[in-house]
Amino acid sequence: MDVKTAILNRRSIRKFEQRPIAPEKLTQLVDLARFHATGGNVQPLSYAIVSKDPLRQKVFDLLAWAAYLPDYTCTKEHQPAAYIVLLRDETKTKACMYDLGAASTTIMLAAEEMGLASCVLAAFDPKKMKPVLELEDHLHPDLVIALGYAAQESKAVPFEGNIKYYRDENGNFCVPKKRLSDVLVYTDVD
Ligand SMILES: Cc1cc2nc3c(=O)[nH]c(=O)nc-3n(C[C@H](O)[C@H](O)[C@H](O)COP(=O)(O)O)c2cc1C
């Protein structure tokens, strides 16, 4: 898969088949994340891989899904096979939003190439996540990337003034994406 296809095909998936991910794939995703761009080359992030019960279940219980759709959630029967948790070293930085974006995008695009679906989540309480992962004190969980084999479809649809994703008659997700003309406000190329 080329990078362009991975970018276009990646959509957040919130319903997964109940089959495991090969452990070496999960390790490789973190190995690739090491190479993302990072301000000042500080590299403030480290990672936790969670794929085995009961920890996998405990992480699942802390996550909130699809805030725009109050009647939808990812159910236990369709929960992710694994998680990569992005951890910020609080001794190195108070916040590193850019690094978190770069790292999570790197992981999700690499996952896409491996045939894995993903959803990055910030809707959880880090204070509850920390003891679950038994993290060293200076490591703060900022983002969780849910991973697995997709059991639903999600597609980009043209933006018509509403940014909220919705579900179609088959229950699949539709994600409004702005047009090039909506986002390209200046260009000097012909
Ligand atoms: C920083 C960040 C935090 C997110 N947190 C959540 C979350 O807690 N729960 C969830 O279901 N989706 C979450 N998402 C997924 C977004 O809802 C999703 O990326 C957006 O609707 C666009 O859809 P797409 O990823 O399919 O293009 C998050 C995405 C980002 C980038």
Side-chain angles (χ1 to χ4, degrees):
M1 182 182 287
D2 60 23
V3 176
K4 180 181 169 188
T5 305
I7 291 169
L8 292 174
N9 285 1
R10 184 215 58 82
R11 295 272 71 74
S12 295
I13 292 297
R14 300 177 178 88
K15 184 177 182 183
F16 300 89
E17 292 178 6
Q18 295 308 284
R19 59 177 164 120
I21 299 170
E24 59 272 19
K25 286 190 177 177
L26 295 168
T27 307
Q28 200 192 353
L29 289 174
V30 174
D31 203 18
L32 290 167
R34 292 188 298 121
F35 293 91
H36 74 76
T38 161
N41 203 28
V42 171
Q43 303 174 67
L45 297 176
S46 47
Y47 306 86
I49 296 172
V50 177
S51 64
K52 292 192 177 126
D53 292 340
L55 208 51
R56 184 181 70 115
Q57 301 287 331
K58 287 185 183 169
V59 171
F60 176 76
D61 289 340
L62 295 177
L63 302 175
W65 301 83
Y68 286 146
L69 301 175
D71 60 343
Y72 182 86
T73 191
C74 178
T75 61
K76 228 169 187 128
E77 296 69 42
H78 292 105
Q79 66 182 291
Y83 303 97
I84 295 176
V85 186
L86 279 60
L87 307 167
R88 172 168 45 90
D89 186 336
E90 289 179 318
T91 63
K92 292 193 178 138
T93 178
K94 292 252 171 289
C96 57
M97 305 295 252
Y98 304 122
D99 291 77
L100 288 162
S104 57
T105 302
T106 300
I107 290 170
M108 290 191 290
L109 292 180
E112 189 72 31
E113 191 193 29
M114 292 177 185
L116 294 171
S118 64
C119 183
V120 57
L121 296 101
F124 63 89
D125 184 350
K127 286 195 205 78
K128 292 185 180 159
M129 188 67 79
K130 209 164 162 163
V132 163
L133 298 174
E134 296 182 15
L135 293 171
E136 287 175 42
D137 235 23
H138 63 104
L139 295 178
H140 180 89
D142 269 334
L143 280 179
V144 171
I145 301 177
L147 294 158
Y149 293 94
Q152 70 184 172
E153 288 174 26
S154 178
K155 63 177 181 209
V157 297
F159 169 71
E160 304 290 357
N162 189 349
I163 55 166
K164 293 186 179 178
Y165 47 78
Y166 56 90
R167 295 172 78 208
D168 65 16
E169 58 284 359
N170 301 315
N172 293 317
F173 276 67
C174 300
V175 187
K177 293 292 183 188
K178 292 182 180 177
R179 294 169 182 77
L180 179 60
S181 57
D182 295 326
V183 298
L184 185 62
V185 296
Y186 173 81
T187 177
D188 63 2
V189 297
D190 301 323

